[in-house]
Structures are given as C-alpha cells and as structure tokens.
Amino acid sequence: MQPLLASERFARGVQLRHLRCLVAVAQERHLARAAERLALSQPAMSKTLAELEALAGTRLVERGEAGRRGIQRFTVAGEQLLAHALRVLEAVDAGAQALRPGAGERIERVRIGALPSVAPTLLVDALLALRQRMPALQAEVRTGANAALCDALRAGELDLVCGRMSDPQRMAGLSFEFLCAEPLAMVVRPGHPLAGTAALSMQEVMACPLVVYSEGTVPRHHTESLLSGLGLRLPADHTQTLDLSVARALLLRSDAVWFTAAGAARDELRAGTLVRLNVATPGTEEPVGLLLRSGVELSAAQRTLAALLREGASAHAAALFSRG
C-alpha cells in the first residue's frame, strides 16, 4: 500500500472540532478564553490545537511566553487554514439552519465593523439606504480601534470593516479598497474664544484643554506628528478617549479643543453645533477604505452595503474637507 501524502492525511484526519478550535483561538487570541468559548478545559484545547498542527505538519500559531496562554500571532499556514475553516463552519451552520423544522426563509444578517470616525456618518448613510432596499435585514455594528476590527474580520466575527490599512501582519488574508481620505480637524463649541479667529496660532490652541484620541490610533499619531512638526508636544494634562459622546460632551461644556478625524464631527459641523477652527492640518489625510476577507464570496446584503459605501464616499469626503 502506498503511503498517504501529507495532504491526504490531513483531509482524512481533520474533524470539525479541530476547525472550531482554530476559529475560537483566532477570535479570542487566548487559549484559555478560546477553551471557555467551546466549553473545554484548557489542556483539552491545547491538545486539539496540537492535533491540528500535527495533521497540518506545521506550526499554525505562535504562542506567548512561557507561563502565558496568549497567542502572539498566526503563522502564514495558520492564516491560510483559518480562511478555509471559516468557510467550512459557515457552510455547516447554514445547513443546520436549513434543517430546522419550520425554518422557512432565512433572515439575512450583515456584521459590520467601523472606526468611530466613520460609523456615525459614512456608515450610517449607507445603512439607511440599505434598510430601504432590504427592510428585513438584520444588521450588527461594532466600533473600535482599527487593529481590533481587523482581527475580528480575519477571525470571521465581522463580514466587512470600514477602516484603515493596517500593518502586514494584520492584513494577512484581508483586502483593502480605498473609499476616501479623512483629514485631522480641530473642533470646538460655538462661542468658543477661538472660534471664528482668522489668523489662529497653534500656541493659542495649545493653551486650551485638549481632547485627543487614544494612543496607538492613527488620529493620535497625526496629532502628535502635526505638533512635532511645529516644535510642540502634546501636554501631559490632555484627555484621551475613543468615545465620541464623551468628546462632544467635553466640548459643549468647556473651552476644550478636540483633535479629531474630521468624519467624527461631520454632522455636527454641518448643523453648526460644533465649529472647526481655522488651523491648517497638512499631511494628516488618512485613507479610509473597505476591508474584506480575501477570497470570500459576499452575500447579497454585504455586496449591496459595499456598493452603497462606495457611492457615498465622494460626498462624505467633500464634507470632511469643508470648513463649514
């Protein structure tokens, strides 16, 4: 009898529990939490993952330091197998739904991730239009930092993301399509002492309380780069937050200045409930785009939403660069 090829051994030996293990690890990025998600003990989870790696004949994930159960990253082979595992499990779940008594027509669902700056504007515009076309659709929106959204998309927890190009490690298995460029803006309440000032210096801005994005985000990087180019530094007594409602409340109740991606304040600037300071922010334009899992066929709802995002991107970009 001829010995089995490695691919044949894998195809004959792999089971759904192996694939569920891999997907859970991708979603949790931690062995103990992944085990809890699957109602397994941590040793059982580790054994299942080791079995899968033995079948694959290669390492699939890089573990954390000794004594830690975190996952540092997926290997190239791990990323490739994860993409296939997600498709297999999605097909199994769809089959299970179809077999339920009285299942009838399945309600389509779309899970979207978005940066805080584009969620209330570009994404909401597209969702409202999508609802008119597909009123029975179930939509789920998650906002957060770009890195977390990319991880969730790669792990199959999201169907598409309105975000930014990430580092090569997080872009593995993902595609990026440019939608628009989003500049940095300095925003205040109407009636702010600096509002309407034509010749405004950055030193005057820095004398006010500052609200900025959290460390590790692109708007925060651009804020610090802009100040550094002028020989300035972000003062230690700033407030940092990703929560747009907190930032807006601070502006309306104080003389704070918000360094923000312009999209986060688009509707308020249009309505006049917030005002943009007359300060140039050259070099802070950041591409925002549509992130998808490579090689995955989109559903009708996902395709329609992606098309609506593309259609609305030009109008959204024009509003971002307006001084209104």
Side-chain angles (χ1 to χ4, degrees), residues 147-208:
L149 295 177
C150 286
D151 286 343
L153 178 61
R154 287 169 50 252
E157 294 183 301
L158 296 171
D159 300 313
L160 55 85
V161 166
C162 289
R164 297 182 170 91
M165 179 79 77
S166 189
D167 58 77
Q169 179 179 322
R170 285 200 166 89
M171 287 301 297
L174 303 181
S175 64
F176 177 85
E177 177 187 341
F178 175 80
L179 292 176
C180 62
E182 190 172 65
L184 194 70
M186 279 162 259
V187 178
V188 298
R189 62 173 174 82
H192 189 282
L194 300 183
T197 303
L200 187 60
S201 71
M202 188 63 76
Q203 284 77 7
E204 291 175 283
V205 174
M206 298 292 284
C208 299

Side-chain angles (χ1 to χ4, degrees), residues 9 24 36 45 79 104 122 125 143 184 220 234 276 303 310 317:
R9 287 198 301 271
E36 184 177 354
M45 189 73 179
E79 294 287 356
L122 176 62
D125 293 344
T143 61
L184 194 70
R220 173 62 173 270
L234 191 64
R276 189 172 182 173
R303 288 195 303 272
R310 296 182 188 106

Side-chain angles (χ1 to χ4, degrees), residues 40-79:
L40 296 173
S41 66
Q42 196 275 327
M45 189 73 179
S46 297
K47 180 181 178 182
T48 303
L49 183 58
E51 289 175 0
L52 182 59
E53 290 183 324
L55 287 168
T58 185
R59 180 67 64 88
L60 300 174
V61 300
E62 297 292 344
R63 277 73 161 175
E65 299 174 1
R68 300 178 62 184
R69 296 172 183 172
I71 300 300
Q72 289 184 328
R73 67 179 183 86
F74 271 58
T75 64
V76 173
E79 294 287 356

Side-chain angles (χ1 to χ4, degrees), residues 8-319:
E8 294 176 329
R9 287 198 301 271
F10 179 85
R12 293 189 181 190
V14 70
Q15 301 176 28
L16 288 180
R17 64 184 179 87
H18 294 126
L19 302 183
R20 290 196 174 99
C21 168
L22 188 69
V23 170
V25 168
Q27 293 172 345
E28 296 294 342
R29 314 301 292 187
H30 192 275
L31 286 176
R33 290 196 297 268
E36 184 177 354
R37 175 185 281 241
L38 297 181
L40 296 173
S41 66
Q42 196 275 327
M45 189 73 179
S46 297
K47 180 181 178 182
T48 303
L49 183 58
E51 289 175 0
L52 182 59
E53 290 183 324
L55 287 168
T58 185
R59 180 67 64 88
L60 300 174
V61 300
E62 297 292 344
R63 277 73 161 175
E65 299 174 1
R68 300 178 62 184
R69 296 172 183 172
I71 300 300
Q72 289 184 328
R73 67 179 183 86
F74 271 58
T75 64
V76 173
E79 294 287 356
Q80 293 173 340
L81 183 55
L82 174 63
H84 292 291
L86 286 166
R87 287 196 286 270
V88 169
L89 294 179
E90 287 167 358
V92 170
D93 289 342
Q97 289 282 345
L99 291 173
R100 287 183 178 178
E105 186 177 351
R106 188 181 180 189
I107 296 178
E108 191 161 4
R109 179 180 66 155
V110 59
R111 303 165 299 170
I112 315 113
L115 296 170
S117 59
V118 300
T121 50
L122 176 62
L123 178 58
V124 166
D125 293 344
L127 285 175
L128 290 172
L130 181 65
R131 181 65 62 189
Q132 291 182 331
R133 300 188 187 189
M134 307 180 73
L137 178 72
Q138 181 184 101
E140 176 186 338
V141 177
R142 181 192 303 186
T143 61
N146 196 67
L149 295 177
C150 286
D151 286 343
L153 178 61
R154 287 169 50 252
E157 294 183 301
L158 296 171
D159 300 313
L160 55 85
V161 166
C162 289
R164 297 182 170 91
M165 179 79 77
S166 189
D167 58 77
Q169 179 179 322
R170 285 200 166 89
M171 287 301 297
L174 303 181
S175 64
F176 177 85
E177 177 187 341
F178 175 80
L179 292 176
C180 62
E182 190 172 65
L184 194 70
M186 279 162 259
V187 178
V188 298
R189 62 173 174 82
H192 189 282
L194 300 183
T197 303
L200 187 60
S201 71
M202 188 63 76
Q203 284 77 7
E204 291 175 283
V205 174
M206 298 292 284
C208 299
L210 303 183
V211 181
V212 298
Y213 279 61
S214 301
E215 293 182 8
T217 62
V218 170
R220 173 62 173 270
H221 170 73
H222 282 159
T223 297
E224 294 178 341
S225 295
L226 180 67
L227 295 178
S228 178
L230 297 171
L232 301 170
R233 295 179 59 185
L234 191 64
D237 58 352
H238 63 267
T239 299
Q240 61 178 4
T241 181
L242 281 177
D243 192 316
L244 304 190
S245 62
V246 170
R248 294 185 187 112
L250 288 171
L251 296 195
L252 295 175
R253 298 172 62 179
S254 73
D255 286 339
V257 177
W258 186 20
F259 285 72
T260 179
R266 188 198 72 178
D267 290 346
E268 289 83 357
L269 293 173
R270 281 178 171 177
T273 54
L274 292 178
V275 179
R276 189 172 182 173
L277 293 181
N278 189 26
V279 182
T281 58
T284 64
E285 297 80 12
E286 178 67 20
V288 173
L290 183 63
L291 290 144
L292 299 169
R293 276 191 285 148
S294 302
V296 175
E297 184 177 353
L298 299 182
S299 68
Q302 294 160 12
R303 288 195 303 272
T304 303
L305 178 58
L308 290 169
L309 287 167
R310 296 182 188 106
E311 291 172 13
S314 296
H316 178 71

